[in-house]
Amino acid sequence: MPGATKVTLMSSSPIRPSQIPELPAPSSEQFRDEILPAARPAVLRGIVLDWPLVAAARQDPHRAMDMLSSNASGLETDVLRAEAEMEGRFHYGPDGLSLNFIRGTGNIPGVLAGLRQLENVPRPFAIAAQAMVADQYVPGFSSAHPMPLVPASAAPRLWIGNEAKVATHNDPIENVAVVVAGRRRFTIFPPEAEPNLYMGPKHPTPAGARISMVHVTAPDFDRYPLYAAALQTAQQAELLPGDAIFIPRDWFHHVEALEKFNVLANYWWDATKDGAHASRGSVS
């Protein structure tokens, strides 16, 4: 690939991502005036520890499940399922074109019931309900879970599942992702790492965006040798309930859900549009 640098990965000295810079609960003004213009990833520790769902999840994940289920609208959404041998990776099949998971439909109470049934299964299949507009699926979510950092136009979306992995991809807009329940590990690559990420086809894709063909959790350096160069620019962090991460536009990110029950809320918006830098005060 033009412009790419080949790096030999030594098995005795693996290349490890550096830590994503962290800020403890920045104010809305600090986020708007410092973090957003810098256009660099940042972990925002403890930014929403007062969210009801976060408090419930930190006490007992089952309490958060019950809270979600009792407040859900019953509206159905797409639900992805990948067999256990996929190890939670929603990706391509061996031919590099077909997808390695199936799509079904279900509502939040049904998804949560399924997750509870899988809690004691040694090698469960992976389940993921993704990018649900929060107030449609859990009415009143925004008013009960305020997020002051993002503009009012950025509606929260919910991601619910077990130990699933979202393949490396990027978005053309800003993103704040909040861990509500469980733990998540984010691996971030700058836009200029694209030549070393071996991006897959535009069609089909698992969810619309092109994804890297490299499995971050089990990279094949013989098949994808330039990925070692991407790792030299990578950053990583593990987030707990109440933590958030800012992912600037065009930055590539891989997301691992690390528990048997995980909930993420994220906010997408275009900071180049008028009014996008305005704080929304207390909404999520």
Side-chain angles (χ1 to χ4, degrees), residues 80-97:
L80 312 185
R81 169 176 165 162
E83 296 303 322
E85 55 267 28
M86 298 298 104
E87 298 183 344
R89 300 185 187 101
F90 292 96
H91 210 267
Y92 292 100
D95 63 1
L97 291 173

Side-chain angles (χ1 to χ4, degrees), residues 215-251:
H215 295 313
V216 167
T217 54
D220 183 343
F221 291 102
D222 290 332
R223 188 174 183 181
Y224 305 113
L226 298 179
Y227 179 67
L231 274 179
Q232 291 185 328
T233 66
Q235 301 177 55
Q236 194 174 82
E238 187 174 305
L239 275 61
L240 301 174
D243 296 336
I245 183 172
F246 169 57
I247 304 173
R249 66 174 56 224
D250 298 328
W251 280 69

Side-chain angles (χ1 to χ4, degrees), residues 60-281:
D60 180 353
H62 291 145
R63 290 194 61 184
M65 282 184 168
D66 292 342
M67 185 180 295
L68 265 177
S69 187
S70 63
N71 287 284
S73 66
L75 186 66
E76 292 206 332
T77 186
D78 287 343
V79 181
L80 312 185
R81 169 176 165 162
E83 296 303 322
E85 55 267 28
M86 298 298 104
E87 298 183 344
R89 300 185 187 101
F90 292 96
H91 210 267
Y92 292 100
D95 63 1
L97 291 173
S98 62
L99 301 177
N100 72 347
F101 59 89
I102 59 174
R103 297 181 189 271
T105 58
N107 57 31
I108 286 179
V111 169
L112 296 175
L115 293 175
R116 293 191 82 146
Q117 291 176 354
L118 293 171
E119 283 181 337
N120 297 317
V121 175
R123 292 191 69 212
F125 52 80
I127 294 178
Q130 302 179 323
M132 296 174 286
V133 178
D135 283 329
Q136 294 180 13
Y137 290 86
V138 184
F141 181 92
S142 291
S143 58
H145 299 84
M147 168 47 69
L149 303 185
V150 303
S153 59
R157 294 174 181 265
L158 294 175
W159 307 64
I160 301 173
N162 53 6
E163 294 170 293
K165 301 173 178 69
V166 175
T168 305
H169 66 287
N170 68 354
D171 303 307
I173 50 181
E174 278 66 37
N175 185 6
V176 166
V178 181
V179 174
V180 179
R183 294 177 297 126
R184 296 208 182 218
R185 181 180 297 122
F186 290 80
T187 305
I188 310 290
F189 303 88
E192 58 268 24
E194 182 173 0
N196 301 321
L197 290 174
Y198 297 90
M199 300 305 292
K202 293 182 179 180
H203 302 288
T205 67
R210 293 176 67 202
I211 63 172
S212 171
M213 301 303 291
V214 184
H215 295 313
V216 167
T217 54
D220 183 343
F221 291 102
D222 290 332
R223 188 174 183 181
Y224 305 113
L226 298 179
Y227 179 67
L231 274 179
Q232 291 185 328
T233 66
Q235 301 177 55
Q236 194 174 82
E238 187 174 305
L239 275 61
L240 301 174
D243 296 336
I245 183 172
F246 169 57
I247 304 173
R249 66 174 56 224
D250 298 328
W251 280 69
F252 293 88
H253 46 287
H254 177 276
V255 188
E256 301 169 65
L258 302 173
E259 303 286 352
K260 295 180 184 296
F261 169 58
N262 300 272
V263 180
L264 182 90
N266 91 293
Y267 304 80
W268 283 308
W269 79 100
D270 186 348
T272 65
K273 292 185 176 180
D274 291 342
H277 287 215
S279 167
R280 67 146 86 202

